[in-house]
Amino acid sequence: MQRLQGIAVSPGIAIGEALVLGNEGFRIPRRFLSRDAVDSELERLQLACDDAAHQIERNRDTVSSELGAGYGAIFEAHLQMLRDAKLRAELEQLIRERHYSPEYAVSRTLRRYAKVFQSLENTQMAERANDIVDIEKRLLRSLLGRRREEISRLTSPVLVLAHNLTPSETATLDRQFVRGFVTEIGGAGSHTAIVAEGMGIPAVVGTGPFLTDVSGGDTVIIDGHQGLVILHPDEETLGRYKQEIEDNRTRAASLVSIRDLPAQTADGVNVALFGNIEFPHEVGLCLQQGADGIGLYRTEFLYLGAEKVPDEEDHYQAYAHVVQQMQGRPVTIRTLDLGADKVPHDEPLDEDRNPFLGLRSIRLSLRNLPLFRTQLRAILRASVLGRVRVMFPLVATVLELRQAKMILADIMEDLDEHGVAFDRDLAIGMMVEVPAAVMMIDHFVEEIDFLSIGTNDLIQYTLAVDRSNKDVASLYTASDPAVIKLIDMAVRPAVASGVPISLCGQMSGSPIYTMLLLGLGLRQLSVAPHNIPEIKQLIRHVSIPQCEVVAKKALTLEHARDIKNYLKEELNRIHGGIDW
């Protein structure tokens, strides 16, 4: 059994077979053989080795003739490793005596060899691990042939283990069969983490290198609460986690009864509890969990999951589906937040050494007006189908907001001239995600209909921490006193001006912060759909005076650790016995 500590980015427990994306995104379909199949499987291994050897020989000869014998020697070394008698004997022993399938024997053995090379201090020798992995891929391709099951066409549940997953890759994971994922790199608050949370699957990132320690088909546990990954768990550990999964199911079932109840505090104050979504199909889950509306529709995922650039009709159909399904509940559509780590597959942006400070979000939309106008036209057309609100992301200056509003007004005129119906009273809002927006909040409240605080970016820009960088992950925290003071600074002027303000970052989905946010004056929260029941339950157990005391105390503390500990203590004091 091996434990890996990473960063917990999406809660939950998952137990299942590993699918290691390092071996080209296909899985090993079975690990064990029946006794009478051993001889035929040994023959299959022999054929695969012969096939792989022929491939390597062809590569060696081609490279030698074009680049010289020195380069061809690389493949000659591969050939020697493949034909090594010790390796072959070890593979055959695993098949004959332990009844491993050839695929599983190959993966287990060669990944162990690769790990030995990786552990060497000599850099040149350590890089030989890549040669071992290359041989593993060749053998698996030969063994699996047409039976290869790729990540996009799974047929049974798996846990995905990868070096990294981009937000677009995460968005296209097969939701029916991918039950969780782990990546070697990445940090809290990354868009990959947000997608995982939206999918409601456990996820851990930033574990460091481990892919050579695991083979496809191995049993793995992902603990998305603790950021823990367990490879090859023993029976006792498996039993304990299976019991925890059952306990979580029981707890989730107990929350079903409050689905149709209002998110109303114990002293009778109503809190609007909205859902965050990335894809139209998530609307069903929001309704199932009792959401009061959609507080954040991240429309950029229309691009990240698409094979072609969406046109106006693609946008309209997606928005119309969400608006109609919500049946009169408010739907806040955020305009594109592309850029930084959210880049479509087929449209790479220019190389940017600091993409989170570069051309992204509203800046990108204002620079690419055809893209922006296409989306705004679709939003306006969908606005007649329900209660649509439009929201601009990452606004830093009043000028940016005014430019966006002018373009929206221009499109309204255009639609009007062509007789296309739209909501003339469409509510216009902006996200508060950068300290500059907070500092200018008294000006912004005079120009918009609503505000929404995006803490994922606000934390990043306030603390100067790249939220996708595991090396500074420990510095990325919603508990930082500077972040809490900025939220307070944004909420007070908005409330005083009568401008509705919500909070839609990951912070709003964590019960630890619920009392603090209510105490700071927020009466609207937008969270991942899976978090709605738990947050609603908590809201219904607290009073606003209790929350105000908590917020007042938190604002006096100097350190993130002290604030987080205090909030946990208060939560446990009021709701003792519940493991939040």
Side-chain angles (χ1 to χ4, degrees):
M1 187 168 75
Q2 182 178 354
R3 293 173 180 268
L4 305 167
Q5 184 62 58
I7 303 166
V9 295
S10 184
I13 306 293
I15 302 173
E17 288 187 7
L19 170 59
V20 183
L21 282 189
N23 53 25
E24 293 195 347
F26 48 79
R27 68 181 302 199
I28 294 172
R30 57 186 176 136
R31 287 184 292 170
F32 299 102
L33 306 169
S34 60
R35 188 181 300 275
D36 57 3
V38 167
D39 289 341
S40 62
E41 292 298 297
L42 285 171
E43 290 178 9
R44 203 160 63 85
L45 174 67
Q46 179 63 51
L47 291 173
C49 290
D50 291 345
D51 182 52
H54 291 150
Q55 292 175 28
I56 296 171
E57 286 172 346
R58 285 197 296 271
N59 288 344
R60 177 199 59 193
D61 295 343
T62 300
V63 171
S64 295
S65 63
E66 294 182 0
L67 301 176
Y71 291 94
I74 296 171
F75 293 97
E76 183 61 33
H78 284 200
L79 206 54
Q80 289 178 13
M81 283 189 271
L82 178 63
R83 288 171 172 166
D84 179 69
K86 179 176 178 298
L87 170 64
R88 185 67 63 88
E90 191 167 343
L91 293 175
E92 291 180 358
Q93 184 182 23
L94 289 174
I95 296 170
R96 195 184 304 280
E97 297 179 7
R98 303 184 71 169
H99 296 170
Y100 283 180
S101 71
E103 293 90 345
Y104 191 52
V106 163
S107 185
R108 285 293 300 266
T109 303
L110 289 178
R111 282 182 177 266
R112 184 168 58 78
Y113 280 27
K115 187 177 182 182
V116 171
F117 277 100
Q118 278 185 339
S119 64
L120 298 176
E121 293 184 0
N122 184 310
T123 305
Q124 188 173 6
M125 290 300 293
E127 289 176 353
R128 291 295 175 88
N130 293 328
D131 296 330
I132 302 287
V133 173
D134 191 49
I135 294 171
E136 178 203 3
K137 289 179 180 177
R138 287 185 187 280
L139 285 172
L140 288 177
R141 276 198 296 269
S142 296
L143 285 165
L144 293 169
R146 292 182 179 179
R147 296 182 301 117
R148 221 168 48 183
E149 189 177 8
E150 298 180 4
I151 185 67
S152 59
R153 295 194 294 273
L154 297 173
T155 57
S156 62
V158 295
L159 306 184
V160 172
L161 313 180
H163 175 65
N164 189 25
L165 287 173
T166 65
S168 57
E169 288 170 334
T170 310
T172 54
L173 289 176
D174 187 329
R175 290 164 184 251
Q176 183 179 359
F177 294 118
V178 175
R179 300 296 166 81
F181 70 77
V182 182
T183 60
E184 292 181 325
I185 65 174
S190 66
H191 289 113
T192 297
I194 292 170
V195 175
E197 192 175 33
M199 293 171 69
I201 60 174
V204 175
V205 303
T207 59
F210 75 96
L211 293 183
T212 52
D213 298 338
V214 63
S215 300
D218 281 351
T219 300
V220 174
I221 297 174
I222 299 176
D223 182 343
H225 299 294
Q226 305 298 326
L228 192 62
V229 181
I230 302 173
L231 310 179
H232 319 117
D234 58 30
E235 287 302 319
E236 180 184 351
T237 305
L238 265 177
R240 180 160 51 81
Y241 272 102
K242 285 179 179 177
Q243 183 59 50
E244 189 167 340
I245 289 174
E246 282 304 311
D247 292 344
N248 288 339
R249 284 178 181 155
T250 302
R251 187 177 172 194
S254 70
L255 293 174
V256 171
S257 61
I258 67 169
R259 189 192 72 168
D260 298 323
L261 298 176
Q264 187 179 71
T265 61
D267 55 334
V269 176
N270 286 319
V271 178
L273 201 50
F274 300 125
N276 295 337
I277 64 169
E278 285 77 37
F279 303 96
H281 64 77
E282 292 175 288
V283 168
L285 182 58
C286 288
L287 292 170
Q288 183 184 332
Q289 302 287 25
D292 294 317
I294 303 298
L296 175 63
Y297 180 4
R298 297 184 174 101
T299 56
E300 55 274 12
F301 285 92
L302 194 62
Y303 283 76
L304 299 181
E307 295 181 356
K308 67 178 183 66
V309 176
D311 58 20
E312 181 180 321
E313 193 60 22
D314 293 326
H315 281 275
Y316 173 74
Q317 292 298 334
Y319 306 153
H321 175 81
V322 172
V323 175
Q324 290 171 326
Q325 290 295 307
M326 291 308 291
Q327 303 174 13
R329 299 175 181 85
V331 175
T332 304
I333 302 176
R334 184 179 72 180
T335 60
L336 296 173
D337 186 19
L338 289 170
D341 62 342
K342 290 186 287 189
V343 182
H345 283 304
D346 56 348
E347 288 193 3
L349 301 175
D350 293 338
E351 185 176 349
D352 193 336
R353 297 183 64 183
N354 206 340
F356 281 103
L357 297 179
L359 190 62
R360 62 167 293 207
S361 204
I362 193 66
R363 298 171 182 171
L364 183 64
S365 293
L366 293 175
R367 189 75 67 87
N368 190 336
L369 290 184
L371 181 89
F372 197 28
R373 292 178 68 91
T374 295
Q375 182 178 33
L376 291 178
R377 280 179 60 91
I379 293 173
L380 285 168
R381 287 173 56 201
S383 67
V384 297
L385 303 174
R387 294 174 59 190
V388 174
R389 312 194 308 172
V390 65
M391 180 164 68
F392 302 121
L394 209 72
V395 174
T397 69
V398 174
L399 181 60
E400 284 178 340
L401 176 63
R402 289 176 179 167
Q403 286 179 312
K405 288 174 63 178
M406 284 177 59
I407 294 166
L408 181 66
D410 183 57
I411 296 170
M412 285 181 171
E413 286 184 17
D414 187 51
L415 291 178
D416 211 14
E417 289 176 5
H418 289 83
V420 179
F422 63 91
D423 179 6
R424 297 175 188 279
D425 298 319
L426 179 76
I428 303 172
M430 59 169 269
M431 294 199 68
V432 181
E433 301 176 277
V434 294
V438 177
M439 302 306 293
M440 296 294 289
I441 200 74
D442 53 335
H443 294 267
F444 284 120
V445 295
E446 296 176 356
E447 307 228 5
I448 40 80
D449 298 311
F450 67 94
L451 295 163
S452 184
I453 302 172
T455 47
N456 298 344
D457 271 323
L458 186 62
I459 295 167
Q460 172 175 246
Y461 293 123
T462 301
L463 303 177
V465 174
D466 181 345
R467 67 196 209 193
S468 62
N469 186 335
K470 73 177 181 61
D471 294 327
V472 291
S474 61
L475 302 176
Y476 181 92
T477 172
S479 304
D480 193 277
V483 174
I484 294 171
K485 284 183 184 295
L486 284 172
I487 295 172
D488 182 50
M489 291 170 64
V491 172
R492 279 188 285 106
V495 171
S497 304
V499 174
I501 183 167
S502 67
L503 192 142
C504 62
Q506 287 176 296
M507 183 182 186
S508 61
S510 172
I512 292 174
Y513 299 108
T514 304
M515 295 178 69
L516 169 68
L517 298 177
L518 296 180
L520 290 174
L522 284 157
R523 298 294 180 266
Q524 297 181 7
L525 300 175
S526 192
V527 306
H530 294 277
N531 297 130
I532 290 174
E534 195 171 42
I535 298 298
K536 182 185 286 188
Q537 183 192 45
L538 178 54
I539 290 171
R540 291 178 59 82
H541 277 80
V542 299
S543 69
I544 293 301
Q546 277 180 316
C547 297
E548 289 174 342
V549 169
V550 169
K552 187 176 180 180
K553 172 69 174 178
L555 284 167
T556 67
L557 300 176
E558 296 181 342
H559 305 293
R561 183 186 57 189
D562 295 342
I563 292 174
K564 195 162 190 174
N565 287 339
Y566 169 67
L567 295 178
K568 282 184 176 178
E569 288 170 4
E570 285 300 300
L571 192 58
N572 289 328
R573 185 177 65 80
I574 295 173
H575 303 284
I578 299 178
D579 182 12
W580 298 97

